[in-house]
Amino acid sequence: MGISMQVLGFILALSLLVFVHELGHYFFAVIFKTRVEKFYLFFNPGLSLLRMKKIDGKRQFSFFSTKSPEEWTAHPESTEWGIGWLPFGGYCSISGMVDETKSAKDLASEPQPYEFRSKPAWQRFFIIVGGVLMNFLTAMILYIALMFTWGKQYIPLENAHYGLAFSDAAQYAGFKNGDKIVSVDGETPHLLMDFIKKLLLDNPKEVVVLRNNNIETLHLKEDNWKKLLGEQFCTYDFPFVIEEVTPGAPAAQAGLMQGDSLVGIDTLQIYLFSDFQEELKYAKNKEVTLHFYRDNSLQSLPLFVNEEGKIGVSVESPYKYLQTVTDNYNFIESIPQGIKEGVNTLTFYIKQFKRVFTKEGSTQIGGFITLGKFFPKSWNWEHFWSMVAFLSVILAFMNILPIPALDGGYIFFILFEMITGKRPGDKFIGYANTVGFAILIALLLYANGMDLFRLFK
């Protein structure tokens, strides 16, 4: 059930964002009287689940068809709307434009007034950039709505009473589980994300921590961020209380239940999540005795730890055990706060994106599985819309990159034309798109391949 909710959330979010993106292209095309041949949510190679076209003022439908009805070809001025069967994208096919739906040889021999290629450069620029603008606008509207509806809930670092839990790479760099952050290069971060941003993006020299009630200074190397790339390298530490037991997993076979609060393993008395993670790593493929409280009664059970050092449970959120702060905003206040949230998200993503072109960063690229894991296993509207806003920022940024076949590639060619007065030919754009599309497919295969590698390693 949990995984199915993650898949549903990811597909629904992607569908919304693709629809909004393509709607941006459609909107400007209509403004500049450019004919839109097809508008599709999802791709439809070989089959369309639904086709709709308005003919003589009446809507006509075609279901589960391999091609458009022949009588529709007599009405090219009307857009064919459809839903494909491959739920990872969509397209807006604009007349007279070389794109993923047609090549230069598919265009009419003579440009027509209603075609994209007949429009002046500034109009073509807005038709192309419309998708990116719509994604940015969508992200800003969603962040404003999130601030107005739910406010901003967070745990100040000063409320991290159990300290922070660090990944192996972070511990190798000098951090230890339980450390409380005092300052980074003389500045005191207010939020966990502030600390993460400074550590990953600013290459700080010193981090002062409170460790076992003693102040210690960690001197970090300049390439420290390389060791910390990858999964979130630190989080709040908190008590280990089971939220969900995976069916068939060691925990389920042993008899552990939701709500059990773990307080020990074998002869060791521990209760923090990070401590259990550490001990379970050393108990791979071994049987241990777990001690826990259930209904205020101390109990013990033997349990076999799998080869990954896991027992098959999810834990309750640290928000349940650490004091949170919620900043609420009225409608007027939510507008600048939402815009600020969107700009900060974009800035952080751009700064982090440059790490992709390093050896360490390239190994952390993820595909659909990585994105899907960001969605909660149980439905949560606040989390869902937060993810839609975040992905909308990513989609806008990635599409503006000057890679042929992406919007940024078309924008690059149009700007080149506006500056030099020389317009690249349709055949050249077609060849460039082919190369760009091949690059995108290779990146897609690599990213999802890395997902599978991490899943089965």
Side-chain angles (χ1 to χ4, degrees):
M1 185 63 180
I3 295 178
S4 64
M5 282 293 101
Q6 287 181 309
V7 173
L8 176 63
F10 174 62
I11 292 179
L12 181 58
L14 185 63
S15 302
L16 287 171
L17 293 178
V18 168
F19 177 78
V20 167
H21 181 89
E22 300 301 335
L23 199 61
H25 296 311
Y26 177 85
F27 176 75
F28 281 101
V30 170
I31 286 179
F32 298 127
K33 295 180 171 50
T34 307
R35 184 175 293 176
V36 179
E37 299 169 348
K38 294 183 179 182
F39 188 106
Y40 263 74
L41 177 63
F42 305 149
F43 293 114
N44 61 323
L47 177 70
S48 294
L49 302 181
L50 169 68
R51 300 174 191 264
M52 190 278 289
K53 195 177 181 76
K54 197 171 185 179
I55 298 177
D56 297 329
K58 296 181 179 180
R59 293 183 178 85
Q60 295 189 12
F61 296 88
S62 176
F63 299 93
F64 302 101
S65 54
T66 57
K67 62 179 181 179
S68 305
E70 292 185 6
E71 58 268 25
W72 288 10
T73 58
H75 301 271
E77 74 286 351
S78 178
T79 302
E80 177 184 313
W81 301 80
I83 300 177
W85 62 269
L86 189 60
F88 292 109
Y91 62 91
C92 176
S93 180
I94 299 174
S95 181
M97 176 180 172
V98 176
D99 57 13
E100 68 270 24
T101 66
K102 54 186 173 294
S103 63
K105 65 180 181 181
D106 297 318
L107 303 181
S109 56
E110 292 296 327
Q112 301 300 314
Y114 55 78
E115 289 186 331
F116 174 83
R117 55 181 171 164
S118 299
K119 303 300 177 181
W122 70 271
Q123 292 185 6
R124 284 183 278 120
F125 174 85
F126 279 104
I127 291 173
I128 296 300
V129 85
V132 172
L133 289 177
M134 281 295 287
N135 280 131
F136 276 128
L137 181 62
T138 298
M140 296 303 172
I141 291 174
L142 285 176
Y143 279 124
I144 292 170
L146 285 163
M147 294 299 118
F148 176 68
T149 306
W150 288 286
K152 186 172 182 178
Q153 185 184 44
Y154 57 91
I155 303 172
L157 267 179
E158 62 186 24
N159 291 352
H161 304 305
Y162 305 102
L164 300 180
F166 294 90
S167 66
D168 290 342
Q171 292 185 53
Y172 179 81
F175 295 96
K176 289 186 178 181
N177 289 338
D179 284 351
K180 299 178 181 179
I181 307 303
V182 177
S183 66
V184 182
D185 277 352
E187 297 182 15
T188 301
H190 180 51
L191 304 176
L192 180 63
M193 184 52 68
D194 295 337
F195 169 61
I196 293 174
K197 287 180 179 179
K198 288 191 70 65
L199 209 58
L200 286 181
L201 304 177
D202 296 340
N203 293 328
K205 303 296 186 297
E206 287 186 352
V207 177
V208 178
V209 301
L210 180 64
R211 179 179 297 169
N212 298 325
N213 294 321
N214 296 315
I215 295 292
E216 295 195 21
T217 301
L218 306 182
H219 299 279
L220 306 179
K221 298 178 181 179
E222 290 188 4
D223 64 345
N224 179 73
W225 67 266
K226 295 181 180 180
K227 300 182 179 69
L228 303 177
L229 281 173
E231 298 179 3
Q232 187 178 28
F233 67 88
C234 73
T235 185
Y236 297 103
D237 214 348
F238 52 95
F240 194 145
V241 180
I242 297 175
E243 180 182 54
E244 183 180 358
V245 179
T246 304
Q253 295 173 3
L256 288 175
M257 299 173 59
Q258 180 184 10
D260 288 347
S261 179
L262 276 60
V263 294
I265 179 170
D266 292 332
T267 60
L268 189 63
Q269 294 182 8
I270 53 177
Y271 69 98
L272 294 179
F273 180 64
S274 65
D275 291 334
F276 273 99
Q277 280 188 310
E278 197 71 23
E279 293 302 319
L280 290 173
K281 285 192 302 185
Y282 298 113
K284 296 178 182 179
N285 295 317
K286 296 179 181 178
E287 185 176 86
V288 299
T289 300
L290 287 183
H291 310 288
F292 58 94
Y293 275 97
R294 178 183 296 171
D295 298 327
N296 296 320
S297 174
L298 180 62
Q299 302 183 34
S300 300
L301 284 173
L303 177 144
F304 184 81
V305 183
N306 67 20
E307 60 183 9
E308 297 178 350
K310 307 288 186 181
I311 61 175
V313 298
S314 60
V315 294
E316 292 185 346
S317 168
Y319 281 80
K320 190 171 182 177
Y321 302 97
L322 301 175
Q323 184 179 357
T324 62
V325 174
T326 301
D327 294 336
N328 294 308
Y329 306 94
N330 61 35
F331 180 72
I332 300 300
E333 293 170 336
S334 66
I335 295 174
Q337 186 62 36
I339 294 174
K340 178 182 177 182
E341 194 75 15
V343 171
N344 287 342
T345 300
L346 175 62
T347 302
F348 177 64
Y349 187 77
I350 292 175
K351 287 183 177 180
Q352 198 176 35
F353 184 75
K354 65 183 181 181
R355 308 301 192 192
V356 171
F357 301 101
T358 66
K359 179 181 178 181
E360 293 82 2
S362 64
T363 63
Q364 305 303 328
I365 294 175
F368 296 133
I369 295 177
T370 296
L371 290 175
K373 287 181 177 179
F374 284 109
F375 287 85
K377 292 184 178 180
S378 58
W379 195 262
N380 181 298
W381 281 111
E382 181 183 2
H383 195 144
F384 172 77
W385 288 118
S386 295
M387 280 304 304
V388 173
F390 175 66
L391 292 176
S392 191
V393 170
I394 292 178
L395 184 61
F397 174 72
M398 295 301 293
N399 259 289
I400 206 69
L401 294 176
I403 300 175
L406 291 179
D407 292 345
Y410 290 102
I411 292 171
F412 175 81
F413 290 135
I414 293 173
L415 290 176
F416 177 83
E417 175 188 349
M418 295 171 72
I419 294 171
T420 66
K422 298 179 180 179
R423 182 174 179 174
D426 291 329
K427 287 186 177 180
F428 172 80
I429 293 177
Y431 292 142
N433 282 347
T434 300
V435 174
F437 191 70
I439 293 173
L440 294 176
I441 291 296
L443 289 174
L444 188 65
L445 291 174
Y446 175 77
N448 287 283
M450 291 300 297
D451 273 348
L452 293 175
F453 174 76
R454 287 189 287 266
L455 186 64
F456 294 107
K457 72 175 182 178

